[in-house]
Amino acid sequence: MSRARGLGRILSALAFMVIGAGAVMLLPGGPAPTAARVPSGAAVDIGFSQDMIAHHQQAVTMAQTARGRVSPPVARLATAIELDQIKEIGHMQGWLALWNAPQTPSGPPMTWMNADHPGHHRTIGATMPGMASQQEIDRLGQVTGEDADVLFLRLMIRHHQGGLIMTTAAARNAAHPQVRALATHMTAEQHKEIATMTGLLAALGHRPPPSPVQE
């Protein structure tokens, strides 16, 4: 691991600890979600937070893996995604702590979304859509230049598209307004970033991958 990447991961780990340890988390401009205001987490709120933490953590890993390998425009976008998603992980970790809920789910991911699709239950053991394989992340850590730009953009577009199905469902069904607000914010930001990444990919003469969401 390079010194720069090692330092970046240390700083990110510190950010996770500092942000996640603060159980009193604020959305921009929102009220402090004290225990009195947020006495318990509903199933959708808890499930969304647990799953989206894991989903975001992989996006952070991909952004850190691309560091020093991609062009300046892609690097700026990767850094923005990394910082935004670290902050959002902190919000969700804080909520789970307030609700005395585990930071990770005890069962398969996305089962909390069954309530959003009555009669349509997700396959047990299915992974979250859009997640990159370990082989794809390893490949990202090996390529440089235009190859790195194209691979990072394609992986992150697919990752964002997969995340949108969860943010959309949480924005609609979460019990707590803070959770609905963050999910709505994520939906808007990820649509915007997908458009930016699609434009960068087109400038390189490539098309985005097929959407991982088959609904």
Side-chain angles (χ1 to χ4, degrees), residues 179-200:
V179 179
R180 293 197 300 272
L182 182 60
T184 300
H185 171 77
M186 289 180 186
T187 301
E189 287 299 304
Q190 297 204 7
H191 274 301
K192 189 185 308 179
E193 290 168 355
I194 287 172
T196 300
M197 291 189 286
T198 299
L200 289 169

Side-chain angles (χ1 to χ4, degrees), residues 8-203:
R9 293 187 178 185
I10 291 171
L11 290 174
S12 294
L14 288 172
F16 278 127
M17 288 188 288
V18 170
I19 297 171
V24 179
M25 295 296 156
L26 294 171
L27 288 174
T34 64
R37 291 193 178 111
V38 188
S40 63
V44 169
D45 305 57
I46 291 173
F48 167 72
S49 297
Q50 291 172 333
D51 286 345
M52 192 53 73
I53 285 172
H55 206 268
H56 271 22
Q57 284 173 334
Q58 190 184 71
V60 171
T61 295
M62 288 196 289
Q64 292 174 341
T65 301
R67 185 176 298 149
R69 298 180 174 279
V70 294
S71 65
V74 177
R76 285 193 290 272
L77 178 66
T79 298
I81 290 172
E82 177 185 356
L83 295 178
D84 282 348
Q85 300 214 356
I86 285 174
K87 182 173 65 178
E88 290 165 357
I89 287 170
H91 286 308
M92 293 181 285
Q93 288 175 328
W95 288 332
L96 290 170
L98 279 173
W99 301 328
N100 291 318
Q103 295 287 322
T104 56
S106 58
M110 299 175 68
T111 53
W112 57 273
M113 289 184 58
N114 288 334
D116 196 44
H117 298 271
H120 174 71
H121 291 268
R122 294 189 173 277
T123 303
I124 299 300
T127 58
M128 288 182 279
M131 296 287 276
S133 67
Q134 187 56 52
Q135 289 78 13
E136 289 171 324
I137 294 176
D138 291 344
R139 174 68 178 154
L140 182 60
Q142 295 167 354
V143 294
T144 58
E146 185 172 318
D147 288 343
D149 280 3
V150 171
L151 182 57
F152 173 79
L153 292 169
R154 287 177 62 88
L155 290 178
M156 193 61 81
I157 288 172
R158 190 181 70 187
H159 195 271
H160 273 22
Q161 289 172 331
L164 282 173
I165 187 173
M166 290 193 285
T167 62
T168 303
R172 185 164 48 227
N173 296 320
H176 297 296
Q178 294 93 338
V179 179
R180 293 197 300 272
L182 182 60
T184 300
H185 171 77
M186 289 180 186
T187 301
E189 287 299 304
Q190 297 204 7
H191 274 301
K192 189 185 308 179
E193 290 168 355
I194 287 172
T196 300
M197 291 189 286
T198 299
L200 289 169
L201 203 53

